[in-house]
Amino acid sequence: MAGCGVRFVVDGEVVAVDGPPTTTLLQWLRGSGRTGTKEGCAEGDCGACAVAVLDRPSGRWRVVNACLVLLPMVDGTEVVTVQGLATGGEAHPVQAAMVDAMGSQCGYCTPGFVMTLFEACYRADLDGPGRAWKLDDQLSGNLCRCTGYRPIRDALGQVAGLRPDDRFRGREAGALPELAVSHGEQRFDAPVTLAEAVARLAAAPDTRIVCGATDLGLDVTQRHVAFPALLSVERVPELRGIAVRPDGAAVIGAATPLVDLEDWSADGLPVLHRMLRYFGSRPIKHRATLGGNLCNASPIGDLAPVLLALDAVCVAVGAEGEREIPLGSFFTGYRQTALRPGELLARVVVPPLPERARVGAYKVSRRRELDISAVAAGMRVDVDAGGVVRGARLGYGGVAATPVRARATEDALVGRPWTEGSVAEVLPVLDGELSPIDDHRGSAWFRRTLARNLLVGFQAETAERAFLPLPDRHAGTVVVG
């Protein structure tokens, strides 16, 4: 009921909170005396504020940045901070491992590392191939490197996948309750059915839709925006999950966390998995969603270029029903989409790849971990038995006001053999249809050169193969060999 506040469990204690819905979990934790959770950047970069939240729909612990989680988002669930790990004065295995390995930073960032290790301790997917890069990825959201990073990495290796039979293991999956809270002039609604979400949006089409809040949270922490009305869709089961239709098309719910999409795509859609490796840190991907990344409509969103190359289709839903929007028509301007007032993105459909399709995904940024793209690209060419291009899809981000397809270059490739020489011949066409800008991440010349080089690299990667996955550890996102 409106006004009754937010109820959840933190470190084993049931709490009820009544306050502005744009209060972050970090603000509340520190205000309640749980100062073991630190505030560093307040924008999801440093990991000092990492805590574990029990994701009820999956029954799994997720390490998240408390600075980007709005307090109503943890209603009905459980939060564990660094102060809640020990039992009866006995250190948790991750704390003991940090001590044994002598893993420590200055002390400010250490609690965040401990909570990152806590999630790793209960992961069930850290055995077998890929363990090395998964352990690296586990720490990608903790950026401090001032002293003992190697011992911390060693401590992680000791506890990752340990899954002790204790009070934190074996949580059952379950549904989250509906939530409607108000405080002063602010309101936060979290319906649990798609029909109710659509009805509430139809009644107030100017309401801001939110799911993971990894972008909207920055408006709160950096710009101090107090949104009057927020509609959270993360509790709607119809908007979560991934299914494969009989025709081979993948149907991805718009509110599916990107960690879940990454796990599935390793086998289900490897080219998407390749991009998700460096989409952001694991804490970010636990909260960020496919729908949020697309509806944000940023020209440097990392998933749009790959999905453009895959001919993805967006399914919007509103009071008048559903309609399909090809992703190539979804972005109508800078941070603008084809969604109508009262509509929300329900799911994305990715058709199966054509026979003999060759695909690749690339991201270029100033640093490898947790950075915004200067240029991102998703590419596909469909060749015949003789190696002649019969169709092409070249999706780019960072080269125009929206994510775009290089349609003229696609057309120029058709009918040519898929060779280095053919790509060289169409590069002038690519130059002519891109319109990058100069900014602090790179000049227009730099971005145009990157776009050219990525196409050259894509041809080199796929000259003799359909797709090349990234090795566990590599120096760049273009890999030839």
Short mmCIF file of all heavy atoms in Angstrom, two decimals, residues 151-200:
data_model
loop_
_atom_site.label_atom_id
_atom_site.label_comp_id
_atom_site.label_asym_id
_atom_site.label_seq_id
_atom_site.Cartn_x
_atom_site.Cartn_y
_atom_site.Cartn_z
N PRO A 151 47.45 -10.65 -3.97
CA PRO A 151 46.93 -11.50 -2.89
C PRO A 151 45.41 -11.57 -2.87
O PRO A 151 44.85 -12.62 -2.52
CB PRO A 151 47.47 -10.82 -1.62
CG PRO A 151 48.69 -10.10 -2.07
CD PRO A 151 48.38 -9.63 -3.46
N ILE A 152 44.74 -10.49 -3.26
CA ILE A 152 43.27 -10.53 -3.32
C ILE A 152 42.83 -11.51 -4.40
O ILE A 152 41.89 -12.29 -4.20
CB ILE A 152 42.70 -9.12 -3.57
CG1 ILE A 152 42.93 -8.25 -2.33
CG2 ILE A 152 41.21 -9.19 -3.90
CD1 ILE A 152 42.53 -6.80 -2.52
N ARG A 153 43.52 -11.47 -5.53
CA ARG A 153 43.21 -12.42 -6.60
C ARG A 153 43.46 -13.86 -6.12
O ARG A 153 42.70 -14.78 -6.45
CB ARG A 153 44.05 -12.09 -7.83
CG ARG A 153 43.90 -13.03 -9.03
CD ARG A 153 42.49 -13.02 -9.58
NE ARG A 153 42.45 -13.73 -10.85
CZ ARG A 153 42.55 -15.05 -11.00
NH1 ARG A 153 42.69 -15.81 -9.94
NH2 ARG A 153 42.49 -15.59 -12.20
N ASP A 154 44.50 -14.06 -5.34
CA ASP A 154 44.78 -15.38 -4.79
C ASP A 154 43.67 -15.82 -3.83
O ASP A 154 43.25 -16.99 -3.83
CB ASP A 154 46.13 -15.38 -4.07
CG ASP A 154 47.31 -15.19 -5.01
OD1 ASP A 154 47.14 -15.43 -6.23
OD2 ASP A 154 48.39 -14.80 -4.54
N ALA A 155 43.21 -14.88 -3.00
CA ALA A 155 42.12 -15.20 -2.07
C ALA A 155 40.85 -15.58 -2.83
O ALA A 155 40.13 -16.51 -2.45
CB ALA A 155 41.85 -14.01 -1.15
N LEU A 156 40.60 -14.88 -3.93
CA LEU A 156 39.44 -15.22 -4.76
C LEU A 156 39.56 -16.64 -5.28
O LEU A 156 38.58 -17.41 -5.27
CB LEU A 156 39.35 -14.23 -5.92
CG LEU A 156 38.31 -14.55 -7.00
CD1 LEU A 156 36.90 -14.53 -6.43
CD2 LEU A 156 38.43 -13.57 -8.17
N GLY A 157 40.74 -17.01 -5.74
CA GLY A 157 40.93 -18.37 -6.24
C GLY A 157 40.67 -19.44 -5.19
O GLY A 157 40.23 -20.54 -5.51
N GLN A 158 40.92 -19.11 -3.93
CA GLN A 158 40.68 -20.07 -2.85
C GLN A 158 39.20 -20.32 -2.59
O GLN A 158 38.79 -21.43 -2.26
CB GLN A 158 41.34 -19.58 -1.55
CG GLN A 158 42.85 -19.54 -1.57
CD GLN A 158 43.39 -19.02 -0.25
OE1 GLN A 158 42.78 -19.16 0.80
NE2 GLN A 158 44.56 -18.38 -0.32
N VAL A 159 38.38 -19.27 -2.71
CA VAL A 159 36.98 -19.39 -2.28
C VAL A 159 35.99 -19.48 -3.43
O VAL A 159 34.82 -19.84 -3.21
CB VAL A 159 36.58 -18.20 -1.37
CG1 VAL A 159 37.46 -18.17 -0.13
CG2 VAL A 159 36.66 -16.87 -2.13
N ALA A 160 36.40 -19.16 -4.64
CA ALA A 160 35.46 -19.14 -5.76
C ALA A 160 34.83 -20.51 -5.97
O ALA A 160 35.53 -21.51 -6.13
CB ALA A 160 36.16 -18.68 -7.03
N GLY A 161 33.51 -20.55 -5.95
CA GLY A 161 32.80 -21.81 -6.15
C GLY A 161 32.80 -22.73 -4.95
O GLY A 161 32.34 -23.88 -5.06
N LEU A 162 33.28 -22.25 -3.81
CA LEU A 162 33.36 -23.10 -2.61
C LEU A 162 31.98 -23.53 -2.13
O LEU A 162 31.77 -24.68 -1.73
CB LEU A 162 34.09 -22.33 -1.51
CG LEU A 162 34.40 -23.08 -0.21
CD1 LEU A 162 35.33 -24.25 -0.49
CD2 LEU A 162 35.02 -22.12 0.80
N ARG A 163 31.03 -22.65 -2.12
CA ARG A 163 29.63 -22.91 -1.76
C ARG A 163 29.50 -23.69 -0.44
O ARG A 163 28.98 -24.80 -0.40
CB ARG A 163 28.92 -23.65 -2.90
CG ARG A 163 29.01 -22.92 -4.24
CD ARG A 163 28.35 -23.70 -5.34
NE ARG A 163 26.90 -23.68 -5.17
CZ ARG A 163 26.09 -24.67 -5.52
NH1 ARG A 163 26.60 -25.79 -6.03
NH2 ARG A 163 24.80 -24.58 -5.35
N PRO A 164 29.95 -23.10 0.66
CA PRO A 164 29.85 -23.79 1.95
C PRO A 164 28.39 -23.99 2.35
O PRO A 164 27.51 -23.19 1.98
CB PRO A 164 30.56 -22.84 2.91
CG PRO A 164 30.45 -21.49 2.26
CD PRO A 164 30.54 -21.76 0.79
N ASP A 165 28.13 -25.04 3.09
CA ASP A 165 26.76 -25.34 3.53
C ASP A 165 26.48 -24.51 4.78
O ASP A 165 26.56 -24.99 5.91
CB ASP A 165 26.62 -26.83 3.81
CG ASP A 165 25.18 -27.22 4.12
OD1 ASP A 165 24.29 -26.38 3.87
OD2 ASP A 165 24.95 -28.34 4.60
N ASP A 166 26.15 -23.25 4.57
CA ASP A 166 25.93 -22.33 5.69
C ASP A 166 24.62 -21.58 5.51
O ASP A 166 23.81 -21.92 4.65
CB ASP A 166 27.11 -21.38 5.83
CG ASP A 166 27.33 -20.52 4.58
OD1 ASP A 166 26.43 -20.48 3.71
OD2 ASP A 166 28.40 -19.89 4.47
N ARG A 167 24.41 -20.54 6.29
CA ARG A 167 23.14 -19.81 6.28
C ARG A 167 22.92 -19.00 5.01
O ARG A 167 21.81 -18.52 4.78
CB ARG A 167 23.06 -18.88 7.50
CG ARG A 167 24.16 -17.83 7.57
CD ARG A 167 24.19 -17.15 8.93
NE ARG A 167 25.33 -16.26 9.09
CZ ARG A 167 25.28 -14.95 8.89
NH1 ARG A 167 24.15 -14.37 8.53
NH2 ARG A 167 26.37 -14.21 9.07
N PHE A 168 23.93 -18.86 4.16
CA PHE A 168 23.78 -18.08 2.94
C PHE A 168 23.47 -18.95 1.72
O PHE A 168 23.11 -18.44 0.67
CB PHE A 168 25.06 -17.28 2.65
CG PHE A 168 25.38 -16.28 3.71
CD1 PHE A 168 26.49 -16.45 4.53
CD2 PHE A 168 24.59 -15.15 3.90
CE1 PHE A 168 26.81 -15.53 5.51
CE2 PHE A 168 24.89 -14.22 4.88
CZ PHE A 168 26.00 -14.41 5.68
N ARG A 169 23.64 -20.26 1.86
CA ARG A 169 23.50 -21.14 0.69
C ARG A 169 22.10 -21.74 0.63
O ARG A 169 21.41 -21.88 1.63
CB ARG A 169 24.53 -22.26 0.76
CG ARG A 169 24.50 -23.18 -0.45
CD ARG A 169 25.51 -24.30 -0.33
NE ARG A 169 25.34 -25.27 -1.40
CZ ARG A 169 26.02 -26.39 -1.49
NH1 ARG A 169 26.92 -26.70 -0.57
NH2 ARG A 169 25.81 -27.23 -2.49
N GLY A 170 21.70 -22.10 -0.59
CA GLY A 170 20.46 -22.85 -0.77
C GLY A 170 19.20 -22.04 -0.65
O GLY A 170 18.17 -22.54 -0.20
N ARG A 171 19.26 -20.77 -1.04
CA ARG A 171 18.05 -19.95 -1.01
C ARG A 171 17.10 -20.35 -2.14
O ARG A 171 17.53 -20.56 -3.27
CB ARG A 171 18.40 -18.47 -1.11
CG ARG A 171 19.31 -17.99 0.02
CD ARG A 171 18.73 -18.33 1.39
NE ARG A 171 19.60 -17.93 2.47
CZ ARG A 171 19.57 -16.74 3.07
NH1 ARG A 171 18.69 -15.85 2.68
NH2 ARG A 171 20.40 -16.47 4.05
N GLU A 172 15.83 -20.42 -1.82
CA GLU A 172 14.83 -20.80 -2.83
C GLU A 172 14.41 -19.59 -3.65
O GLU A 172 14.31 -18.47 -3.13
CB GLU A 172 13.61 -21.42 -2.15
CG GLU A 172 13.89 -22.75 -1.46
CD GLU A 172 12.63 -23.36 -0.87
OE1 GLU A 172 11.56 -22.74 -1.02
OE2 GLU A 172 12.72 -24.44 -0.27
N ALA A 173 14.14 -19.84 -4.93
CA ALA A 173 13.61 -18.79 -5.79
C ALA A 173 12.16 -18.51 -5.42
O ALA A 173 11.44 -19.38 -4.93
CB ALA A 173 13.72 -19.21 -7.25
N GLY A 174 11.73 -17.30 -5.66
CA GLY A 174 10.35 -16.93 -5.36
C GLY A 174 10.02 -15.58 -5.98
O GLY A 174 10.90 -14.87 -6.46
N ALA A 175 8.75 -15.25 -5.97
CA ALA A 175 8.30 -14.00 -6.57
C ALA A 175 8.43 -12.85 -5.58
O ALA A 175 8.32 -13.04 -4.36
CB ALA A 175 6.85 -14.13 -7.01
N LEU A 176 8.70 -11.68 -6.09
CA LEU A 176 8.73 -10.48 -5.26
C LEU A 176 7.33 -9.89 -5.14
O LEU A 176 6.52 -10.00 -6.06
CB LEU A 176 9.68 -9.45 -5.88
CG LEU A 176 11.17 -9.71 -5.66
CD1 LEU A 176 12.00 -8.85 -6.60
CD2 LEU A 176 11.55 -9.44 -4.22
N PRO A 177 7.02 -9.22 -4.04
CA PRO A 177 5.69 -8.64 -3.87
C PRO A 177 5.52 -7.36 -4.68
O PRO A 177 6.50 -6.69 -5.03
CB PRO A 177 5.63 -8.35 -2.37
CG PRO A 177 7.07 -8.09 -2.00
CD PRO A 177 7.87 -9.03 -2.85
N GLU A 178 4.29 -7.03 -4.96
CA GLU A 178 3.98 -5.74 -5.58
C GLU A 178 4.32 -4.63 -4.60
O GLU A 178 4.21 -4.80 -3.39
CB GLU A 178 2.50 -5.69 -5.95
CG GLU A 178 2.08 -4.41 -6.64
CD GLU A 178 0.61 -4.41 -7.01
OE1 GLU A 178 -0.09 -5.35 -6.60
OE2 GLU A 178 0.17 -3.48 -7.71
N LEU A 179 4.71 -3.50 -5.13
CA LEU A 179 5.10 -2.39 -4.27
C LEU A 179 4.56 -1.08 -4.81
O LEU A 179 4.62 -0.82 -6.02
CB LEU A 179 6.63 -2.31 -4.18
CG LEU A 179 7.20 -1.18 -3.32
CD1 LEU A 179 6.85 -1.38 -1.85
CD2 LEU A 179 8.71 -1.07 -3.50
N ALA A 180 4.02 -0.28 -3.92
CA ALA A 180 3.60 1.08 -4.27
C ALA A 180 3.86 1.95 -3.05
O ALA A 180 3.21 1.78 -2.01
CB ALA A 180 2.13 1.12 -4.65
N VAL A 181 4.83 2.83 -3.16
CA VAL A 181 5.17 3.70 -2.03
C VAL A 181 5.17 5.15 -2.48
O VAL A 181 5.44 5.46 -3.64
CB VAL A 181 6.54 3.33 -1.43
CG1 VAL A 181 6.52 1.94 -0.83
CG2 VAL A 181 7.64 3.44 -2.47
N SER A 182 4.85 6.01 -1.56
CA SER A 182 4.90 7.44 -1.84
C SER A 182 5.49 8.16 -0.65
O SER A 182 5.40 7.71 0.49
CB SER A 182 3.49 7.98 -2.14
OG SER A 182 2.64 7.81 -1.02
N HIS A 183 6.14 9.28 -0.95
CA HIS A 183 6.74 10.10 0.10
C HIS A 183 6.72 11.54 -0.39
O HIS A 183 7.42 11.88 -1.35
CB HIS A 183 8.16 9.64 0.40
CG HIS A 183 8.79 10.36 1.55
ND1 HIS A 183 8.66 9.94 2.86
CD2 HIS A 183 9.55 11.49 1.60
CE1 HIS A 183 9.31 10.76 3.65
NE2 HIS A 183 9.87 11.72 2.91
N GLY A 184 5.92 12.36 0.25
CA GLY A 184 5.78 13.73 -0.24
C GLY A 184 5.22 13.76 -1.64
O GLY A 184 4.17 13.18 -1.92
N GLU A 185 5.97 14.38 -2.54
CA GLU A 185 5.54 14.50 -3.94
C GLU A 185 6.08 13.37 -4.81
O GLU A 185 5.86 13.38 -6.02
CB GLU A 185 5.98 15.85 -4.51
CG GLU A 185 5.41 17.06 -3.81
CD GLU A 185 3.89 17.10 -3.92
OE1 GLU A 185 3.36 16.84 -5.01
OE2 GLU A 185 3.23 17.41 -2.90
N GLN A 186 6.79 12.42 -4.22
CA GLN A 186 7.40 11.34 -4.99
C GLN A 186 6.63 10.04 -4.83
O GLN A 186 6.06 9.77 -3.77
CB GLN A 186 8.85 11.12 -4.55
CG GLN A 186 9.79 12.25 -4.90
CD GLN A 186 11.21 11.92 -4.49
OE1 GLN A 186 11.61 12.12 -3.34
NE2 GLN A 186 11.99 11.42 -5.44
N ARG A 187 6.63 9.25 -5.92
CA ARG A 187 5.95 7.96 -5.91
C ARG A 187 6.80 6.93 -6.64
O ARG A 187 7.45 7.24 -7.64
CB ARG A 187 4.57 8.08 -6.57
CG ARG A 187 3.75 6.78 -6.55
CD ARG A 187 2.37 6.96 -7.15
NE ARG A 187 1.65 5.69 -7.17
CZ ARG A 187 0.94 5.21 -6.16
NH1 ARG A 187 0.84 5.91 -5.04
NH2 ARG A 187 0.30 4.06 -6.26
N PHE A 188 6.74 5.69 -6.14
CA PHE A 188 7.47 4.59 -6.75
C PHE A 188 6.53 3.39 -6.82
O PHE A 188 6.03 2.93 -5.79
CB PHE A 188 8.71 4.23 -5.91
CG PHE A 188 9.59 3.17 -6.52
CD1 PHE A 188 10.74 3.52 -7.19
CD2 PHE A 188 9.28 1.82 -6.41
CE1 PHE A 188 11.57 2.54 -7.74
CE2 PHE A 188 10.09 0.85 -6.94
CZ PHE A 188 11.24 1.20 -7.62
N ASP A 189 6.28 2.90 -8.04
CA ASP A 189 5.40 1.74 -8.25
C ASP A 189 6.21 0.60 -8.86
O ASP A 189 7.00 0.81 -9.79
CB ASP A 189 4.25 2.09 -9.19
CG ASP A 189 3.25 3.03 -8.54
OD1 ASP A 189 2.71 2.67 -7.49
OD2 ASP A 189 3.01 4.13 -9.10
N ALA A 190 5.97 -0.60 -8.35
CA ALA A 190 6.60 -1.80 -8.89
C ALA A 190 5.55 -2.89 -9.03
O ALA A 190 5.36 -3.72 -8.14
CB ALA A 190 7.74 -2.27 -7.98
N PRO A 191 4.81 -2.89 -10.15
CA PRO A 191 3.78 -3.92 -10.37
C PRO A 191 4.42 -5.28 -10.63
O PRO A 191 5.62 -5.38 -10.92
CB PRO A 191 3.04 -3.41 -11.60
CG PRO A 191 4.04 -2.57 -12.33
CD PRO A 191 4.90 -1.94 -11.27
N VAL A 192 3.60 -6.32 -10.56
CA VAL A 192 4.12 -7.68 -10.73
C VAL A 192 3.48 -8.39 -11.93
O VAL A 192 3.73 -9.58 -12.14
CB VAL A 192 3.92 -8.52 -9.46
CG1 VAL A 192 4.77 -7.96 -8.32
CG2 VAL A 192 2.46 -8.59 -9.05
N THR A 193 2.69 -7.68 -12.71
CA THR A 193 2.16 -8.23 -13.96
C THR A 193 2.36 -7.21 -15.07
O THR A 193 2.37 -6.00 -14.83
CB THR A 193 0.67 -8.59 -13.87
OG1 THR A 193 -0.10 -7.38 -13.75
CG2 THR A 193 0.39 -9.51 -12.68
N LEU A 194 2.50 -7.71 -16.29
CA LEU A 194 2.67 -6.82 -17.43
C LEU A 194 1.42 -5.98 -17.65
O LEU A 194 1.51 -4.78 -17.97
CB LEU A 194 3.01 -7.63 -18.68
CG LEU A 194 3.28 -6.84 -19.96
CD1 LEU A 194 4.39 -5.83 -19.75
CD2 LEU A 194 3.62 -7.79 -21.10
N ALA A 195 0.25 -6.59 -17.47
CA ALA A 195 -1.00 -5.86 -17.67
C ALA A 195 -1.09 -4.67 -16.72
O ALA A 195 -1.51 -3.57 -17.12
CB ALA A 195 -2.19 -6.79 -17.48
N GLU A 196 -0.69 -4.86 -15.48
CA GLU A 196 -0.75 -3.78 -14.51
C GLU A 196 0.28 -2.70 -14.84
O GLU A 196 0.01 -1.50 -14.70
CB GLU A 196 -0.52 -4.32 -13.10
CG GLU A 196 -0.63 -3.28 -12.00
CD GLU A 196 -2.00 -2.63 -11.90
OE1 GLU A 196 -3.00 -3.25 -12.34
OE2 GLU A 196 -2.08 -1.49 -11.38
N ALA A 197 1.45 -3.10 -15.29
CA ALA A 197 2.47 -2.12 -15.67
C ALA A 197 1.99 -1.25 -16.82
O ALA A 197 2.15 -0.02 -16.81
CB ALA A 197 3.77 -2.83 -16.05
N VAL A 198 1.37 -1.90 -17.82
CA VAL A 198 0.85 -1.15 -18.96
C VAL A 198 -0.28 -0.22 -18.53
O VAL A 198 -0.36 0.93 -18.97
CB VAL A 198 0.38 -2.13 -20.06
CG1 VAL A 198 -0.40 -1.40 -21.14
CG2 VAL A 198 1.57 -2.86 -20.67
N ALA A 199 -1.15 -0.69 -17.65
CA ALA A 199 -2.26 0.13 -17.19
C ALA A 199 -1.76 1.36 -16.44
O ALA A 199 -2.28 2.48 -16.63
CB ALA A 199 -3.19 -0.69 -16.30
N ARG A 200 -0.78 1.19 -15.59
CA ARG A 200 -0.26 2.32 -14.83
C ARG A 200 0.45 3.31 -15.74
O ARG A 200 0.37 4.53 -15.55
CB ARG A 200 0.68 1.83 -13.73
CG ARG A 200 -0.04 0.99 -12.67
CD ARG A 200 0.84 0.73 -11.48
NE ARG A 200 0.24 -0.26 -10.59
CZ ARG A 200 0.71 -0.59 -9.41
NH1 ARG A 200 1.81 -0.01 -8.96
NH2 ARG A 200 0.12 -1.50 -8.66
#
